[in-house]
Structures are given as C-alpha cells and as structure tokens.
C-alpha cells in the first residue's frame, strides 16, 4: 500500500509517498481501507521532529481516517462488518491506503456525509467536545471565548457551544476568518491582531467576562488579556501540543491574577485523552442529514496523497479555515 512518510525531520520537501506492507489487524482490531484522512498540527510537528507519536503508533503520519471496513481481527465482538463506512481518531497511520484500528475507536459515518466531510470530524470535534464537556464542564447560558476560532477545533467548538445552549465568542486573525466564524454561529468575533480582544469581550459581556476560555495559543503576550476578560470562578483551558511557537513562557504575576478571580487553569493534550468519550452518543447524531440543530464540518481544501507536501505548506501558512483533507483514494 501507499503511505505518507519521511526519513529525516525537516521541511515539507522531506515528505514522500512510498509502498509499505498492508498491516494485519491484531486482537480486537479492524482493518480499514482508507478513503480520506486529514492534516493536523501534530503531523507538522512530527515531520519537524518536535513531536513523538505514542508508543507503537509507527512513523506513518495521520491522526484520523475515514473509509470502509475490509477485515476483522481475532476477538472482534461483531460491532462492525465488512463494508461498513467508518471514521476514527488514531494514534497515527491514517495517511495510508489501509490502517488498523481498535474496534472501540471506530465511529459510524453519519447519514448524508461524504468521506471528505467525515475525515474532518474525529480530531477537531472530539477535541472540542472533550475540552468543553469533560474538562470545562460547560453549562447552559455560559459564555465561552474560543481563540483560533477558524481552526478545525475552533469551528467545531463554536457549534458545540451553541448545541450546549451557551454563548460562543471568538477571536481570529483576518476578516475572512471572522466572516467564517460568524457563519458558523459565533455570537461575536474579534480580530486579535488589530483589536484589544479583552476590552471587546468585556464590552460585549457588559463587564462580566467569560466563563471558559479555550486557548491553543497561550504564551506571555496573551495571558494578561485572558485573565482580564475571565469571569470570577472562570476556567482557562490551554490545549495543543508542546513545541508550538509561543507556548510555555509567562512573564508576570500570573498566580496572583488567578487567585484574585478564583480562576482555574486546565491543560489538555489530545494524545492523553480518551478518544471517544461520549461523543458518539451525544454529538454524532447531529451530523446526520435532516437533524436540527445540525452540525457541519468545514473543509478548507482537499489534497491527493501524492501532494502531501503541498497540504503541509497550506497549513503552515495559517490561512486555512476549517480542516485540510487528504484524499487517499479517488
């Protein structure tokens, strides 16, 4: 089979597609013939040598996949059968023609969705769901500030905040992105590059601030603004991956500022969380055709597997709105 690989850390030019053996499903695993995958920041960091995949994940890129079941390993409990259309969040290996997946990690593709749309769901939407409900414990009527609102996680979070009957407030870096997040359901959006988002958020909330902040950016230059617009007893959730530029350094008296508001900081990494939680039960049905409210994944662009380097360059420009999808098969 063909798979996206690299031999040495470096730029997108190090990526190439090569033939590798088709994996055999082990105990309790399902073999999936992959139609589409999607690109994530972890793929970029892994290619640069800044991210080590979980033990046993191998070196083929790809944290998500959508396709059809073509084989079952020993001990499978009959939940899936050959031909089923499925999608999954993976430890790696999704950007290949076949991938093995523990049967409990598979999800059915909702009625009416294409493989391209399905590939845009697992990482972004499960991440957003767990940040909001497992970590942040969002409640009806709460105000949620979502940084990087035009990212895959950001657009998912906007819609999930609405589904929870809470209020999504969003930041982004361009007017085009602000228009996209408004279309996705944001109650308000602010350009963090040319506006003081903290002052804007406080004005929008009539001085009360937000109850939850979803923050994949962090760093010294943002923390004071985040604390300033966080409500008393608010929750500031920092997520993402180590190695991303601008993360991890704080200058100033962060602790006193948190204590003054009785605020809490939560941190979360995708690889350390349960990969399905209650997502399949609570959220997945709303993607199906004809549901109301209706959830919709947003796809920025689609790149065939041989053009994997182009997909990486597209993500590195930080101009994408929604997910970048990799077409494994036509």
């Amino acid at each position: 089979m063909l798979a996206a690989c690299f031999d040495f850390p470096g730029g997108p030019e190090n990526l190439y597609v090569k033939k590798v053996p088709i994996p055999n499903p082990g105990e309790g695993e399902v073999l999936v013939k992959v139609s589409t995958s999607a690109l994530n920041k972890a793929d970029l960091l892994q290619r640069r040598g800044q991210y080590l995949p979980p033990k046993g994940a191998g070196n083929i890129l790809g944290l998500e996949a959508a396709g059809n079941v073509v084989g079952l390993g020993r001990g499978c409990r009959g939940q899936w059968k050959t031909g089923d259309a499925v999608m999954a969040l993976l430890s790696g290996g999704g950007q290949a023609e076949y991938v093995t997946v523990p049967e409990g990690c598979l999800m059915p593709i909702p009625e009416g969705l294409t493989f391209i749309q399905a590939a845009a769901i697992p990482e972004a939407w499960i991440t957003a769901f767990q940040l909001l409900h497992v970590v942040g414990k969002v409640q009806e009527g709460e105000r949620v500030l979502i940084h990087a609102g035009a990212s895959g996680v950001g657009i998912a979070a906007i819609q999930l905040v609405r589904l929870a009957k809470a209020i999504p407030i969003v930041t982004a870096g361009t007017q085009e992105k602000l228009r996209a997040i408004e279309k996705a359901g944001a109650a308000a959006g602010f350009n963090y590059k040319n506006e003081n988002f903290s002052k804007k958020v406080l004005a929008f909330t009539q001085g009360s601030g937000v109850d939850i902040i979803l923050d994949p950016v962090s760093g010294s230059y943002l923390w004071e603004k985040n604390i300033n617009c966080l409500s008393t007893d608010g929750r500031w959730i920092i997520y993402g991956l180590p190695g991303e530029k601008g993360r991890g350094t704080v200058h100033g008296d962060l602790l006193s500022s948190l204590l003054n508001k009785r605020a809490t900081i939560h941190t979360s990494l995708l690889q350390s969380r349960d990969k399905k939680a209650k997502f399949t039960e609570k959220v997945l049905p709303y993607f199906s055709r004809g549901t109301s409210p209706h959830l919709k994944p947003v796809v920025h662009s689609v790149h065939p597997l041989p053009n994997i380097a182009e997909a990486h360059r597209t993500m590195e420009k930080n101009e994408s709105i929604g997910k970048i999808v990799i077409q494994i098969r036509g």
Side-chain angles (χ1 to χ4, degrees):
M1 70 173 184
L2 298 177
C5 300
F6 65 96
D7 295 326
F8 305 100
E13 67 277 1
N14 285 14
L15 294 165
Y16 66 101
V17 173
K18 72 174 181 179
K19 282 191 174 183
V20 298
I22 296 174
N24 293 313
E27 184 80 20
E29 289 186 332
V30 174
L31 181 64
V32 176
K33 185 177 183 179
V34 181
S35 178
T36 52
S37 182
L39 198 60
N40 294 283
K41 285 188 177 180
D43 297 314
L44 273 63
L45 292 172
Q46 185 175 345
R47 183 251 299 159
R48 296 172 190 157
Q50 297 174 321
Y51 167 72
L52 292 176
K55 188 177 180 179
N59 61 357
I60 297 174
L61 298 173
L63 297 183
E64 49 203 331
N68 297 100
V69 173
V70 292
L72 302 172
R74 293 172 302 165
C76 285
R77 301 177 180 179
Q79 183 178 357
W80 307 102
K81 64 181 185 302
T82 300
D84 283 346
V86 294
M87 57 186 182
L89 178 61
L90 311 165
S91 298
Q95 291 163 21
E97 292 183 310
Y98 294 88
V99 67
T100 55
V101 186
E103 62 176 340
C105 292
L106 288 174
M107 298 174 285
I109 294 179
E111 181 185 359
L113 288 191
T114 65
F115 284 124
I116 288 174
Q117 291 173 310
I121 292 176
E123 186 272 346
W125 286 82
I126 292 177
T127 297
F129 175 79
Q130 294 202 24
L131 292 175
L132 287 167
H133 291 278
V134 179
V135 181
K137 300 187 183 339
V138 64
Q139 302 296 313
E140 182 176 343
E142 288 192 318
R143 295 143 301 191
V144 182
L145 176 60
I146 304 164
H147 290 307
S151 67
V153 173
I155 288 177
I158 292 169
Q159 296 180 62
L160 291 178
V161 168
R162 286 290 189 190
L163 187 64
K165 298 181 180 179
I167 303 166
I169 304 167
V170 185
T171 68
T174 68
Q175 291 306 118
E176 182 184 10
K177 289 182 177 181
L178 288 174
R179 287 191 291 269
I181 62 180
E182 180 181 358
K183 186 176 180 181
F190 306 113
N191 188 327
Y192 68 89
K193 291 184 177 180
N194 56 28
E195 297 179 290
N196 185 322
F197 74 81
S198 182
K199 290 182 178 179
K200 293 286 187 177
V201 167
L202 286 171
F204 180 79
T205 60
Q206 299 180 322
S208 57
V210 295
D211 303 286
I212 298 174
I213 298 175
L214 299 187
D215 179 17
V217 183
S218 191
S220 179
Y221 69 102
L222 278 182
W223 79 261
E224 290 181 283
K225 292 180 180 178
N226 279 327
I227 293 293
N228 190 47
C229 66
L230 192 63
S231 67
T232 301
D233 296 316
R235 292 92 78 197
W236 177 14
I237 302 171
I238 300 171
Y239 69 98
L241 289 164
E244 292 185 73
K245 184 179 178 181
R247 298 182 60 85
T249 302
V250 171
H251 301 291
D253 197 353
L254 172 61
L255 183 57
S256 291
S257 300
L258 285 169
L259 288 170
N260 287 336
K261 290 200 170 182
R262 302 197 306 266
T264 55
I265 290 181
H266 304 262
T267 60
S268 184
L269 287 174
L270 176 62
Q271 69 177 28
S272 65
R273 294 195 300 270
D274 171 34
K275 293 178 179 173
K276 282 183 64 179
K278 295 183 179 179
F279 179 82
T280 301
E281 174 190 352
K282 300 290 186 181
V283 176
L284 207 57
Y286 290 101
F287 287 101
S288 296
R289 183 192 296 119
T291 55
S292 181
H294 182 67
L295 301 176
K296 184 178 180 181
V298 173
V299 174
H300 175 78
S301 57
V302 181
H303 304 259
L305 182 61
N307 294 356
I308 186 69
E310 177 189 342
H312 277 236
R313 293 188 185 98
T314 299
M315 178 169 278
E316 287 183 332
K317 291 178 183 176
N318 197 31
E319 297 173 352
S320 56
I321 296 171
K323 294 285 287 186
I324 297 170
V325 171
I326 310 300
Q327 184 89 49
I328 308 297
R329 299 175 185 273

